[in-house]
Amino acid sequence: MTRQEPVTAGIESGRDHARQVRKVAFSGLLGTVIEYYDFLLYSTMAALVFGTLYFPASNPATSTIAAFGTLAAGYVARPLGGLLFGHFGDRLGRKSALVTSMLLMGVASVLIGVLPTYETLGLTAPLLLVLLRVVQGIAVGGEYGGAALMVIEHADPRRRGAWVGIMQMGSPLGSLLSNGAVALVTLLPKEQFLAWGWRIPFLASAVLLIIGLYVRLSVVESPLFREAVAAGEARKREPVPLVRVLRKPRAVLLACAAGIGPFALTALIGSHSVAYASGLGYELPDIMRAHLLISLTGLVGIPLFSALSDRIGRRRVLMLGAIGAVVFAFPMYALVGTGSVLAMTAALMTAQVFQNLMYAPLAPMLSEMFGTRVRYTGVSLGYQMASLLGAGFTPMVAAALVAGTGGSSLPLSWIIVLAVGISITAVLLIAETSGRDLRDEPAG
């Protein structure tokens, strides 16, 4: 019997670990759902109502561009959130940073849902809207890197992509919930939608927040971080994680560049396409139904392609999406410009597949590019800088280019080619990371 006890203990330990990995992946999924539901909900409302309610102007295009400017403010804040939460996540632990980021996002979204408009508060209203958007950006900046790390640092090295793919399903799920909520409230008469209907999806985020916090508080800290603490590595006062990352900036620069392409696609397929398709004469319910199908595409594609990167490598999967995106950049807008709802939907869904191929391997690849003591900071900074450069100003720039060229889609296609070209260059310079031992300090 005594010989069997260690075996039994090992089995139980293995079962406990597997159970904990599932719980961590589910927690990461919920956290990502909440963050992207709230963040993307704002993006859609910026295209639909914020220009009218918070930035009134005689020219509707000017109002839309101003509203997209507040959208950019959230993206500007994301690297700040990545640095802030990355520092404390590398110093104090992943779990506490993630709980805080989730709480910040939920509170900011509920406050947007009750924020008076320009008609009531005057200039104070858009200023408060921008402030709350910045808080959202800080929260998202801390969420993604930490959620990805918690999953990756718990998972079997051979299945990191598969497990983190579950967490990354939160992005399309959040988008699906966001688009679904918007689709429902846009069924209201326009007067009621503008008066109070748009607020309902923001207020509903409180329910998601309560569920997410309950699950997140039940997970254990990353085992790799606990090992670093036990070795005394995570308690070092000097240098701080950011300084360590910037001493060898190649990794974070390449991480940022690799993410610019998929983020630019996200901005164009997501928030900007709502305003662009509306300008072409498509009905809003048709646009929102197309976006629901786009979200469903991501719900299948992201976990599939993330798991595929475990088998054939992160770089190959990303390159497949990049090449497809460049080839499809001009046909996509030609199809949208036909006026056919079916053609528009098919074009955006196809583009979403290429975006998923680029985006899915990003989290495991970035996580494998940094050591444990700086991983939260490095991943968050690279990822969030990519989001800022790739998506932060893209809807605003795209709207301005369309307005300035009389509605031409050519500048939009060239944005895709340029952004994806940057990602292709970066991926060619990054060595394959799949299966790397996360306890090792990466070179360079």
Side-chain angles (χ1 to χ4, degrees), residues 48 77 106 173:
L48 297 179
L173 267 176

Side-chain angles (χ1 to χ4, degrees), residues 183-255:
L184 285 175
V185 295
T186 52
L187 294 176
L188 292 167
K190 186 175 181 179
E191 296 77 14
Q192 294 181 27
F193 172 64
L194 290 174
W196 53 267
W198 68 270
R199 299 181 182 274
I200 295 174
F202 286 101
L203 298 175
S205 66
V207 178
L208 293 174
L209 174 63
I210 293 170
I211 297 171
L213 284 174
Y214 175 79
V215 174
R216 179 153 285 177
L217 288 168
S218 68
V219 303
V220 300
E221 183 56 84
S222 156
L224 290 181
F225 180 80
R226 293 200 307 269
E227 287 180 16
V229 170
E233 295 173 346
R235 293 177 178 173
K236 290 181 180 178
R237 293 296 178 186
E238 293 294 341
V240 298
L242 177 60
V243 173
R244 287 177 57 84
V245 168
L246 295 182
R247 278 181 177 174
K248 297 181 179 180
R250 184 176 187 273
V252 75
L253 290 174
L254 289 177

Side-chain angles (χ1 to χ4, degrees), residues 47-73:
L48 297 179
V49 299
F50 287 165
T52 302
L53 297 179
Y54 291 93
F55 303 93
S58 57
N59 186 341
T62 302
S63 295
T64 300
I65 292 170
F68 280 143
T70 68
L71 183 68

Side-chain angles (χ1 to χ4, degrees), residues 283-368:
E283 295 294 330
L284 185 57
D286 290 331
I287 298 171
M288 297 317 300
R289 278 192 288 270
H291 276 253
L292 286 173
L293 292 173
I294 291 169
S295 300
L296 288 172
T297 302
L299 199 58
V300 176
I302 287 178
L304 177 64
F305 300 142
S306 189
L308 180 64
S309 74
D310 284 332
R311 293 183 173 272
I312 68 172
R314 321 296 186 207
R315 297 170 76 249
R316 288 181 180 175
V317 175
L318 207 153
M319 287 295 287
L320 282 173
I323 293 169
V326 170
V327 171
F328 192 61
F330 293 92
M332 179 179 83
Y333 283 105
L335 289 168
V336 173
T338 62
S340 164
V341 174
L342 180 61
M344 173 195 68
T345 304
L348 295 177
M349 288 177 69
T350 302
Q352 185 67 24
V353 171
F354 296 132
Q355 192 277 344
N356 291 166
L357 280 162
M358 296 186 70
Y359 178 79
L362 204 58
M365 184 175 76
L366 266 57
S367 299
E368 291 159 344

